Amino acid sequence: YLVSLPSAFLHFGVWSFIFGAMAKEVVETFVVYVIKPFYPGGIFSLISIRKMLKFGIYIQGNAFVNIIYSSIIPVIGGRLTGIGAVGLLDFSYSLASLPELIAQNFGRVAFAGYSRIQKEKQILFSSITKSISFLSIILYIFPVIIFGLGFQLIPLIFSPKWGPALPPLYWFSAGAFMLPIIASLGQGVLVLGKSKENFWFSLI
């Protein structure tokens, strides 16, 4: 944002987003190297590479599915109802995505935690169950606020012109009710080495 916003004011147009994304990657790489320095070595193991590829190819496939999923909204909205609808859909999707961001951050932490207990199935199952309960308490707050107060809050905070964004906002927000289960179970499946099953689940 510190790079994208000034770039936009300086009339760089769409390049503002690209500059922002590049700055983000450079800063993240620098921070990671400061915290945990990594120097490439000369060790080569074909067996290790095969294992990683077998697991990792479905992880990358999952990321590709997510890209297609988020790209569908502007494509269909733009073709059917024009540019204005894309703006409304994007606005609704961005607001409704806050619980998803929390679930993604939880997933990063949960994967590391679950990995330590992956061989103790009963403890793993118990941890996943507790995670679902905990995430439900946090994530359900957002759709409840949207369904209960969205009609009053959206015009008040963003102005009445965003009123037509409410119907898609309700639909997108409804997805948050499944997030605690998907986020917890998805990471549980991954730590058991079943990235293929996780990929097909995402694809469906």
Side-chain angles (χ1 to χ4, degrees):
Y1 292 119
L2 290 174
V3 172
S4 291
L5 290 174
S7 299
F9 281 114
L10 292 170
H11 307 290
F12 280 98
V14 73
W15 283 97
S16 307
F17 296 108
I18 295 167
F19 294 153
M22 288 171 63
K24 171 184 171 290
E25 295 302 326
V26 168
V27 170
E28 282 182 353
T29 303
F30 177 75
V31 170
V32 167
Y33 268 77
V34 168
I35 295 170
K36 188 75 176 176
F38 169 74
Y39 305 100
I43 300 168
F44 182 82
S45 169
L46 196 59
I47 296 168
S48 297
I49 290 172
R50 279 180 182 165
K51 282 181 181 177
M52 285 188 281
L53 278 175
K54 191 176 177 183
F55 183 81
I57 196 165
Y58 291 107
I59 299 289
Q60 295 305 318
N62 207 15
F64 185 67
V65 168
N66 287 331
I67 290 168
I68 292 173
Y69 167 70
S70 40
S71 303
I72 285 172
I73 295 167
V75 170
I76 295 177
R79 282 188 173 275
L80 294 179
T81 49
I83 297 170
V86 174
L88 292 172
L89 286 169
D90 189 55
F91 171 79
S92 301
Y93 184 72
S94 298
L95 274 183
S97 292
L98 187 57
E100 194 172 331
L101 290 173
I102 295 170
Q104 285 173 359
N105 286 321
F106 162 81
R108 293 186 181 105
V109 177
F111 183 79
Y114 291 167
S115 295
R116 297 185 180 197
I117 53 172
Q118 61 183 303
K119 293 180 181 176
E120 302 174 65
K121 299 289 172 62
Q122 196 58 43
I123 298 173
L124 178 62
F125 178 76
S126 175
S127 297
I128 291 170
T129 306
K130 286 177 182 175
S131 297
I132 292 171
S133 302
F134 176 72
L135 272 178
S136 297
I137 293 168
I138 296 171
L139 299 185
Y140 287 177
I141 292 169
F142 296 96
V144 166
I145 289 172
I146 294 296
F147 284 116
L149 301 170
F151 187 76
Q152 289 83 15
L153 290 177
I154 297 301
L156 183 67
I157 298 171
F158 298 100
S159 84
K161 71 178 181 180
W162 292 103
L166 273 169
L169 178 59
Y170 292 145
W171 279 104
F172 290 136
S173 296
F177 288 110
M178 295 303 295
L179 275 176
I181 298 168
I182 293 168
S184 304
L185 278 179
Q187 297 305 320
V189 168
L190 280 180
V191 299
L192 294 174
K194 298 183 182 293
S195 60
K196 184 177 181 179
E197 287 80 352
N198 207 38
F199 167 74
W200 286 111
F201 180 72
S202 296
L203 190 63
I204 291 165

